[in-house]
Amino acid sequence: MRKIVFATHNQNKLKEIRTMMPRSIKLLSLDDILCHDEIPETADTIEGNAKLKADHVYYKYNLPCFADDTGLEVEALGGEPGVRSARYAGNDKNSEANIDKLLFNLKHKESRAAQFKTVIHLMDKKENKRFTGICKGHIIENKRGDGGFGYDPIFVPEDYKETFAELSSAIKNKISHRGLAVKKLISYLKSI
Ligand code: IMP
């Protein structure tokens, strides 16, 4: 059975991706390989951060590995918060503060168009590949919904009226940036 490490400490992401993996692949977490490092995310792009994380595991443990990184890109803010999405309002990664800052910065802006972008970087001996998932939508003026996390209460995906925080996780996984990137990764892994 092929083993691949998913460079994350996030159990929810791990669980979600595990259910989608083909049986021929055993997905290992950072905890499974006893990696307790806080891998630095110091690149200035989403692509760069995904690569940093995948490289860290590949070169330290010599195991095939993939890592993901996601950002919310808001048109009227020139693509911000982008790679800084988690720490937009400060290093404590506070979602409420991030949302408040975003809504403040968007006041009086005409366009509220935005997109989530997830990049998955896969590293192994034979291949060095990148898979991107994009979900377009717009930012509303006031939070709605209790589900999800991060910017979900203010993001309405294209063709929907509800925010990500109001949609079921099944629908979100089907249409989301991360869901789309994961689907591309899995169909690639199935093909090799
Ligand atoms: P990460 O790269 O998956 O850790 O995401 C970085 C940051 O982007 C998170 O801390 C959230 O603020 C935001 N984010 C990522 N994915 C989502 C999502 O699906 N919904 C809302 N916010 C998200």
Side-chain angles (χ1 to χ4, degrees):
M1 189 182 260
R2 237 181 336 156
K3 286 182 184 166
I4 297 188
V5 180
F6 178 21
T8 187
H9 292 294
N10 183 325
Q11 290 303 316
N12 292 323
K13 283 189 190 175
L14 193 74
K15 215 168 117 192
E16 185 183 304
I17 295 188
R18 240 183 209 144
T19 60
M20 296 166 77
M21 277 285 159
R23 285 197 195 157
S24 56
I25 293 176
K26 188 171 166 65
L27 193 66
L28 302 173
S29 70
L30 290 178
D31 294 332
D32 291 332
I33 61 165
L34 305 177
C35 171
H36 304 297
D37 306 347
E38 253 325 306
I39 305 173
E41 298 184 39
T42 48
D44 54 9
T45 59
I46 294 169
E47 287 78 4
N49 272 341
K51 181 168 169 21
L52 268 183
K53 290 184 267 185
D55 280 354
H56 180 92
V57 173
Y58 181 75
Y59 290 112
K60 187 165 174 185
Y61 298 90
N62 196 25
L63 288 168
C65 170
F66 66 87
D68 72 330
D69 200 56
T70 296
L72 173 66
E73 301 178 326
V74 180
E75 188 178 271
L77 303 177
E80 289 238 312
V83 69
R84 299 193 301 125
S85 293
R87 295 179 172 81
Y88 193 39
N91 278 334
D92 55 347
K93 300 188 181 179
N94 182 321
S95 291
E96 294 295 310
N98 288 339
I99 287 179
D100 289 345
K101 180 171 176 182
L102 187 69
L103 292 179
F104 179 81
N105 287 344
L106 265 186
K107 260 187 196 166
H108 315 304
K109 299 277 187 197
E110 236 171 66
S111 164
R112 302 188 71 93
Q115 65 179 29
F116 276 110
K117 179 165 91 173
T118 292
V119 171
I120 293 179
H121 191 98
L122 172 69
M123 259 307 271
D124 76 21
K125 271 183 214 116
K126 295 176 216 131
E127 296 287 343
N128 194 331
K129 282 230 152 214
R130 185 190 287 161
F131 307 91
T132 303
I134 285 179
C135 181
K136 289 181 184 292
H138 69 274
I139 305 295
I140 55 169
E141 283 173 17
N142 296 298
K143 288 181 269 187
R144 286 195 335 238
D146 303 315
F149 70 101
Y151 298 90
D152 279 350
I154 55 166
F155 183 82
V156 173
E158 221 168 60
D159 300 328
Y160 286 82
K161 291 195 182 73
E162 301 90 344
T163 64
F164 263 164
E166 292 174 310
L167 290 168
S168 68
S169 54
I171 293 181
K172 186 186 167 192
N173 290 341
K174 203 167 141 199
I175 63 170
S176 84
H177 41 294
R178 200 168 10 262
L180 297 173
V182 168
K183 256 180 237 154
K184 288 183 189 175
L185 166 75
I186 288 174
S187 74
Y188 174 74
L189 290 174
K190 280 181 177 167
S191 77
I192 57 170

